[in-house]
Amino acid sequence: MARIAVIGAGTGAMAAAARLAVAGNKVTVYERSASYGGSLGRHEHEGFVFDTGPGLLHLPAVQRDLFVKTGKESLEQCVTLTQVDPASRHLFADGTAVSLPNASRAGVASALDAALGGGAGERWTGFLERARDAWDRSRRPLLEEPLRADHQVLGRDPYPALRQRRLLRTRQASTVAEIGAWELGDARLAALLDGYALSYGLDPRTAPASAALLPYMEQSFGSWYVMGGMRELARAVYERCVARRVAFVFGAEVVRVVEKDGRVAGVELADGAVAEADRVVLGVRPHAGLVPGQQVWGAGDVTVREGSVPGRFTVLLSLRGGREADAVHRTVVHSADGAAEQEAVFGGRVAAHPTVTVLRPDDPATRPDAAHEAVTLTAVVAPRGPVEWTDPAVRQRFAELLVERAEAAVPGLRERVLHAEVRTPAETEAETGAAGGAVPPPALAGAAGAHLHPGNLTRLPGLYLAGGWSHPGGGLAHAGMSGTLVAGLVVEGDDFRGSQ
């Protein structure tokens, strides 16, 4: 029985903890905050309940596998999953609106044709077919295997971009923005694709064409909501860990991974106490001083991402008046100037025309009664640092802008507001410890490996990386996969070749 210390109680770290405990190890999780869940937070106010992190679940198979492998009760026995249909409604700058059905490619094509004109559905379907090819080519090495030592093979983009003959040359799209401009042939389809990339914190101008995997996954495997709020998923994973005798120590900040004789020996806490361990799983964003040396992060020389990784600005609205029967769970109000928005978000400024995602769950647990409604508005923004999100005036102005933009999705919104709670990257940083309140994006193939994350196996024997800041990157599904990979490496050794 090995003693294993897990740093952080996010869903990826807890997934690793549960799997390692089932394998017979003594696992202790050290969490700096007072609770579990990482980004899956919750805010409550006078009978209203809000998710403060991800609002939907994609690729639920990752969570289902965790529950199958760690106990008798399935995921569906521990939480209530509902498919969101339509999956999303999109409002474009020219006034066009389209609702996309959940996990129905033919239905999406029909909806696009009806809203955008004949041929739109065919172009989008052709794009998704190419995205499926990219998924088939990269799924296993990108998502289901530890990052290989020869990870340079993932530097090649798996998306089979169309060859377009020009007068003097042939061109192929290499970025999300180029797919929109050169293959989709409609500014609204381009905005739809850009919106998928942006929602994951990716700049469409630089994100490789392989980011086509993101809309492919959502439209192929569906969008799911956990009744009671997404925090219920974190609760279920936590309770599974406890059932497998994982110990949790909250309010325990780890300041250093202890090294002895060239390998991991434990963790040092902020109060000076040292907890001995045979192995350590780092489930938080690596930072200087936490681990001895500068070059331990991950196999194959993939280093920790630096620079301006975006965060999220969220407005939680308690509303008078009930939710209409035909209200859509998720509406995306697209920017009137996508290029300017991208320039602002990734240039460290406040966007004047943000894309706003409006979440209106049909869930009695989120509101005091049927005469009220809980609504969440979210925009991707520059992190704290380039923008001072603690400034009350900056926060207020941007919150008012989001409410104004969201009225396109919820007419009369402002008149219904009883209470508004504003959360910015500053709150994310304070609660999760992520520098600047940044939210990790998923790993992507292509772009010479610029969008990969550090591998789960590090150069310091006994130290492993899990969670969104490690391979295969951010998002609930990807973080859960990281826990699977770490458990496999610990249990089966460095020769582990991935989940089956």
Side-chain angles (χ1 to χ4, degrees):
M1 176 187 291
R3 300 167 300 174
I4 300 178
V6 178
I7 304 174
T11 54
M14 289 196 295
R19 291 176 182 272
L20 289 168
V22 167
N25 299 289
K26 182 179 180 181
V27 183
T28 303
V29 177
Y30 298 91
E31 168 57 45
R32 67 189 292 272
S33 71
S35 187
Y36 55 83
S39 65
L40 284 179
R42 170 178 286 170
H43 176 76
E44 300 183 23
H45 176 79
E46 297 182 351
F48 293 91
V49 177
F50 304 88
D51 289 318
T52 59
L56 291 171
L57 176 66
H58 307 291
L59 281 179
V62 175
Q63 307 299 332
R64 290 188 177 115
D65 182 70
L66 170 65
F67 280 78
V68 166
K69 300 294 176 56
T70 60
K72 295 180 180 179
E73 301 84 9
S74 68
L75 174 65
E76 279 79 357
Q77 289 175 292
C78 299
V79 298
T80 300
L81 285 177
T82 61
Q83 277 196 302
V84 176
D85 202 6
S88 56
R89 181 172 181 244
H90 296 266
L91 304 180
F92 299 104
D94 67 351
T96 305
V98 60
S99 292
L100 303 181
N102 198 347
S104 171
R105 193 171 304 175
V108 167
S110 295
L112 290 173
D113 278 338
L116 308 186
E122 182 180 2
R123 289 193 297 275
W124 185 260
T125 298
F127 157 70
L128 285 184
E129 288 293 330
R130 296 187 291 279
R132 183 187 65 182
D133 289 345
W135 168 263
D136 291 340
R137 294 174 182 178
S138 62
R139 173 181 57 85
R140 186 154 182 82
L142 187 66
L143 301 177
E144 298 176 354
E145 296 178 349
L147 192 65
R148 295 157 44 172
D150 63 341
H151 69 271
Q152 290 82 1
V153 298
L154 288 172
R156 295 192 292 270
D157 199 313
Y159 179 77
L162 296 178
R163 290 182 177 272
Q164 298 183 326
R165 293 183 179 180
R166 317 308 290 175
L167 183 60
L168 298 176
R169 62 187 177 89
T170 299
R171 69 182 184 185
Q172 287 181 280
S174 62
T175 66
V176 167
E178 289 175 347
I179 292 175
W182 300 349
E183 295 185 5
L184 295 180
D186 186 294
R188 295 160 298 184
L189 289 179
L192 179 62
L193 177 57
D194 284 357
Y196 277 106
L198 186 64
S199 69
Y200 284 91
L202 297 164
D203 185 346
R205 302 168 302 173
T206 59
S210 65
L213 295 177
L214 303 175
Y216 170 79
M217 287 191 296
E218 288 197 22
Q219 294 191 9
S220 297
F221 306 119
S223 298
W224 302 76
Y225 174 71
V226 180
M227 296 300 291
M230 295 296 293
R231 172 73 177 177
E232 287 298 291
L233 177 62
R235 174 198 56 77
V237 177
Y238 168 73
E239 290 180 353
R240 178 55 53 90
C241 285
V242 172
R244 302 284 79 83
R245 299 186 179 180
V246 174
F248 284 80
V249 184
F250 296 108
E253 181 177 5
V254 174
V255 296
R256 186 171 66 93
V257 174
V258 178
E259 176 189 11
K260 183 178 180 181
D261 299 329
R263 67 169 292 114
V264 156
V267 296
E268 180 183 343
L269 305 179
D271 62 5
V274 173
E276 295 182 351
D278 304 304
R279 294 179 177 84
V280 172
V281 177
L282 184 60
V284 299
R285 187 179 190 180
H287 58 83
L290 187 59
V291 176
Q294 297 272 330
Q295 301 298 324
V296 299
W297 308 120
D301 297 323
V302 175
T303 56
V304 177
R305 288 184 175 208
E306 302 295 343
S308 184
V309 179
R312 306 292 185 269
F313 189 106
T314 304
V315 183
L316 311 175
L317 297 175
S318 303
L319 304 183
R320 64 171 62 87
R323 181 183 187 273
E324 312 93 87
D326 60 350
V328 175
H329 186 113
R330 175 175 57 168
T331 300
V332 181
V333 183
H334 290 271
S335 173
D337 191 341
E341 178 185 23
Q342 295 156 25
E343 185 67 33
V345 170
F346 298 96
R349 301 190 305 278
V350 179
H353 301 281
T355 295
V356 181
T357 298
V358 182
L359 296 180
R360 306 178 68 186
D362 186 10
D363 185 354
T366 65
R367 53 188 183 254
D369 53 51
H372 295 85
E373 183 181 8
V375 171
T376 301
L377 315 179
T378 304
V380 176
V381 296
R384 184 187 180 196
V387 176
E388 189 42 79
W389 291 115
T390 59
D391 185 325
V394 174
R395 296 163 65 95
Q396 184 65 23
R397 283 196 301 270
F398 198 69
E400 290 175 354
L401 177 59
L402 261 59
V403 172
E404 177 185 332
R405 301 266 298 134
E407 285 203 294
V410 190
L413 176 62
R414 274 185 281 196
E415 287 70 29
R416 296 177 57 194
V417 175
L418 295 170
H419 179 78
E421 184 75 19
V422 175
R423 296 177 56 86
T424 77
E427 281 73 31
T428 303
E429 181 177 41
E431 294 176 6
T432 69
V439 177
L444 297 172
H451 291 267
L452 298 176
H453 291 261
N456 312 103
L457 180 66
T458 77
R459 295 180 182 177
L460 181 61
L463 176 67
Y464 303 84
L465 304 184
W469 293 106
S470 65
H471 178 74
L476 288 175
H478 291 70
M481 293 174 193
S482 77
T484 304
L485 296 176
V486 165
L489 287 166
V490 171
V491 174
E492 299 185 26
D494 297 355
D495 293 331
F496 174 64
R497 289 293 176 264
S499 56
Q500 301 300 318

